[in-house]
Amino acid sequence: MAYCLVVSVCHDATEFGPGAVLADLPPSSDEHGTRARAIHATVSCIARYGVAKTTVDDIARTAGLSRATLYRSFPGGRDELFSATLSAEVARYFARLQSRLESVSDAGIEEILVVGLSASSELLCEHEALAWLVANEPEVVVTHLAFDGLQVVMDTVARRFAPLLSPLLGEVQARRVVEWLTRLVVSYAGCRSEDLDASRLYPIDEELARRLVHQFVMPGIHVLQGATRS
Amino acid sequence: MVADVRTRVLEGAFRCVSEKGLAATSLEDAAQAAGVSRATLYRYFPGGRDELVGAVITYETLRFFQELADAVSGAEDLESLLVEGIFAAHRAIEGHELLRRLLETEPERLLVQLSLQSSNLVFLVAGFFEARFAGHRLADGMQPAEAADYVARLALSFINSPGTWDLDDPEQIRELVRSEFLAGLLPGDHNQ
């Protein structure tokens, strides 16, 4: 099944990742709690069975909720649940990336870009459900990695993170730079040249990020700034 | 002789895919279009239909990049090579009928095949650039292999997805090439 990336702030974002235990989650007596449990359970099921094979019953059982409760929160059924889960996971990813960036916000643009590049890549590649899908159900993921799907991903990431850079670079260049880094994350995630295994994700570690930013991105930014000024 | 039959099969299969799409192209269709028997086809593609479909996509991809390489063979320097290459590639991708149709009708099937070949593609395109960078003066500490890998990845990304750049505008492409592609590759005195 195909579903679209939602370009919006998602009210379902929770700090509870796959490692959280059900007991840590908000009680299901309130709406927010129910949604959080359901979304957490959906991610957990996808990491084990994939998208096509995960049923509403699987999710209900894992969440410790009745089908009725689930359908009350997600009247659109399975499609709505999956769509909400995607939005929530994107929002959670962005929140984690944001907090990594906050730790270097005073450090100057090169350091911000190094952390941005390496953290965004590492957080992506370590996502269990995503890694399972890449290995076992790639058709769910690939449509977001090229052509129009990649446009949407770059747009989504740029809307969220270009504002962090625009005080330093101006709006146009900030957007271009965020897109540029997104391209690198996606390209390297898809393959290392030496390794032909298409079924796993390859992160850009700090050393490579530092090399890419220092050697290619910073000189490029100087040219972009120079071209704007002239 | 062997190469001829294999090519005939691939071109026949390509015609089938153009008419019916990926999912609906059977081994029988491809064999018939190529004028060979099923047995012959299995000899060249023992993995059957899936292997054949993958091979057709590879074949067309290689043809696409060969045409692109030919189109830029006269470029006088690295900047022109990249500017002309990106311009031509963008147009060719936008105008590729079968690609557009498959992206509309069978995007998952097509993109899974393409993603299986992504490291081969990076390798192929990087090889092309590495040959062009050899003997060219590069920035301090920059090796042709590293430069080629970087340029190949970025080029492949831009070819299918332009982002906020207008790749129909040669001036924008020039600005893009000078900044994101070449600023780190060329020696420090280049942009004076």
Side-chain angles (χ1 to χ4, degrees), chain B residues 27 79 158 169:
Chain B
L27 268 173
E79 184 178 306
F158 269 99
D169 179 357

Side-chain angles (χ1 to χ4, degrees), chain A residues 1 3-4 6 78-88:
Chain A
M1 63 166 285
Y3 45 90
C4 300
V6 175
R78 194 171 172 276
D79 280 4
E80 192 187 333
L81 239 179
F82 275 79
S83 176
T85 299
L86 177 60
S87 297

Side-chain angles (χ1 to χ4, degrees), chain A residues 156-177:
Chain A
T156 307
V157 176
R159 278 168 198 264
R160 181 72 167 75
F161 290 104
L164 259 101
L165 295 178
S166 32
L168 296 162
L169 300 178
E171 259 184 55
V172 172
Q173 313 304 4
R175 220 201 134 100
R176 284 171 170 175
V177 170

